[in-house]
Amino acid sequence: MSSESSSGPEMSATTKQMLARVRQLVPPMLEKFHKGQLGRVAVIGGSEDYTGAPYFSAMASARLGSDLSHVICTPNAAQVIKTYSPNLMVHPLMRSSPPTLSPSHASNPSSLTKSSPDTDPAQVAEQIIPMLDRLHVLVIGPGLGRDPIMQETCAKVIAAAREKDIPMVLDADALLLVAKDPSLIKGYNNAVVTPNVVEFARLTKALGVDELVEKAEKQAGETAKVEALAEALGGVMVVQKGAKDYLSDGKVTLTVDLKGGLKRSGGQGDTLTGSIATFLGWRRAYLDGLWDHGNKLDEGELLALAVFGGASITRECSRLAFAKKGRSLQASDLTDEVHAAFMNLFGEVDAKL
C-alpha cells in the first residue's frame, strides 16, 4: 500500500481547475502576520461519552493551518481532551443534565429552575456567546450528544452566531437541532451542513422534501438530492458525503471526485468539519485583504471554494491514511496526514499567487 501513499492524487481536469482556484484562498506565510489573523476556530461539542470527535475536528483545523483552535465542551470532557494535546484551547463551558434529572425535566429543559447556571441553557449560553466576537468560524456538533441542555444551549449559540454573521459548520447531533427547527439556519448563507446518510435522510424528511427529492433524482440525476435539500434550507451549503462528495447551495453544485480510502471508521467526518472551518477562516483573511492577492476571486464563490477545499483535504487524508493502514485505519490516522494532504493538493504557497 505504501506505493499509493507516495504517489500523488489522481483527479479530473475539472477538480484540478477548482483546486487552483481554492489555492488562491490560502494565505502565504508572511512575516507581517500576527497570531490569530489566519483563523480563529472554535468547536462546540464534547461530552462525557464523546471526547474524540471535537478533538479530531479542532486538531484538523489546527494542523491545516488555523492560528487558534478552541474546543468548548463540558467539564468532564475538557479534562480528557486536554490530555490529548496541549495545542488546543479547551473551555469547560458547556453543561449537561445532572444524573438525577427527572424524565419530565429531561424532555423539557426549560422547566428547570432558572437559578442554577448549570441547568439553565440560557445561562450556559451566556458564558459562551461573549467568545463569538473573538472567533472567525464555529463548528457545532462533534461529540455534542443529545442531552437536552446541551442541545438547547447550542440552539441559543447558533442564533447568536447568526446575528453576528459568523460562519458555522454543523455536523452530527447539531443536525438534530436543524431537523427539529430548520429556521435556526434556513436562509443563512454562512452555514454549512455535513450530514451522513442517516442525517441526510432525517433532514429531507423534516423539511418535507422526500417526494421532491425522489422525483428530482429521477429527472436530474445524482446531484438532485443535495440540490433539493439545499434549496429547502434556503441556500445553506449542504455537503452530501459518499463515493463522491456533492456540495450545493441550491444554485451552484460542485463535485469533489478525489479518491478517498475504503475504510469507514468513525470520526473521519470530524476531519472534514475542521478542514472546512480553516478554509472559512482563510476566506475571512482573503476578504480582509491581509495579503496582496489581486481580488481574482468573486466574493460570492468563496464559501463554496472553502467547502470544496475542506472536502478535498479530507478525501486526500483518507487516501493517504488508508494506503498506510488499510483496514486498521482510525480517525487519528487522518489527523496525521493533514499536512501531507495539503502539500499534495496545493504545494508550497508563497506571496506570488
Side-chain angles (χ1 to χ4, degrees), residues 297-320:
L297 301 174
D298 183 83
E299 182 175 350
E301 68 177 323
L302 297 185
L303 186 135
L305 290 176
V307 177
F308 192 97
S312 298
I313 287 288
T314 304
R315 295 184 72 87
E316 178 64 358
C317 286
S318 176
R319 183 187 75 86
L320 292 172

Side-chain angles (χ1 to χ4, degrees), residues 146 148 151 174-184 202-203 206:
R146 302 184 180 188
Q151 288 268 314
L175 298 177
L176 276 179
L177 285 168
V178 178
K180 293 176 181 177
D181 182 10
S183 67
L184 275 173
R202 185 185 297 126
L203 286 171

Side-chain angles (χ1 to χ4, degrees), residues 263 265 268 317-318 321-323 325-331 333-334:
K263 179 67 185 296
S265 58
Q268 296 184 59
C317 286
S318 176
F322 183 72
K325 302 290 187 176
R327 65 181 65 249
S328 73
L329 179 148
Q330 297 297 306
D333 297 317
L334 271 69

Side-chain angles (χ1 to χ4, degrees), residues 120-183:
D120 176 18
Q123 293 189 59
V124 177
E126 286 176 1
Q127 302 303 308
I128 299 169
I129 290 171
M131 288 186 63
L132 299 181
D133 291 329
R134 309 199 303 269
L135 300 172
H136 293 147
V137 186
L138 279 179
V139 178
I140 304 176
L144 179 65
R146 302 184 180 188
D147 178 87
I149 293 177
M150 297 274 281
Q151 288 268 314
E152 188 167 331
T153 299
C154 278
K156 295 182 182 301
V157 174
I158 289 170
R162 181 171 182 171
E163 287 184 1
K164 296 175 181 292
D165 203 31
I166 296 175
M168 291 180 279
V169 184
L170 286 80
D171 187 44
D173 285 321
L175 298 177
L176 276 179
L177 285 168
V178 178
K180 293 176 181 177
D181 182 10
S183 67

Side-chain angles (χ1 to χ4, degrees), residues 50-82:
Y50 306 109
T51 59
Y55 165 79
F56 292 133
S57 181
M59 187 55 72
S61 178
R63 288 280 181 87
L64 185 53
S66 65
D67 282 352
L68 300 171
S69 192
H70 302 257
V71 175
I72 301 172
C73 58
T74 60
N76 50 9
Q79 294 176 12
V80 177
I81 295 169
K82 286 180 179 181

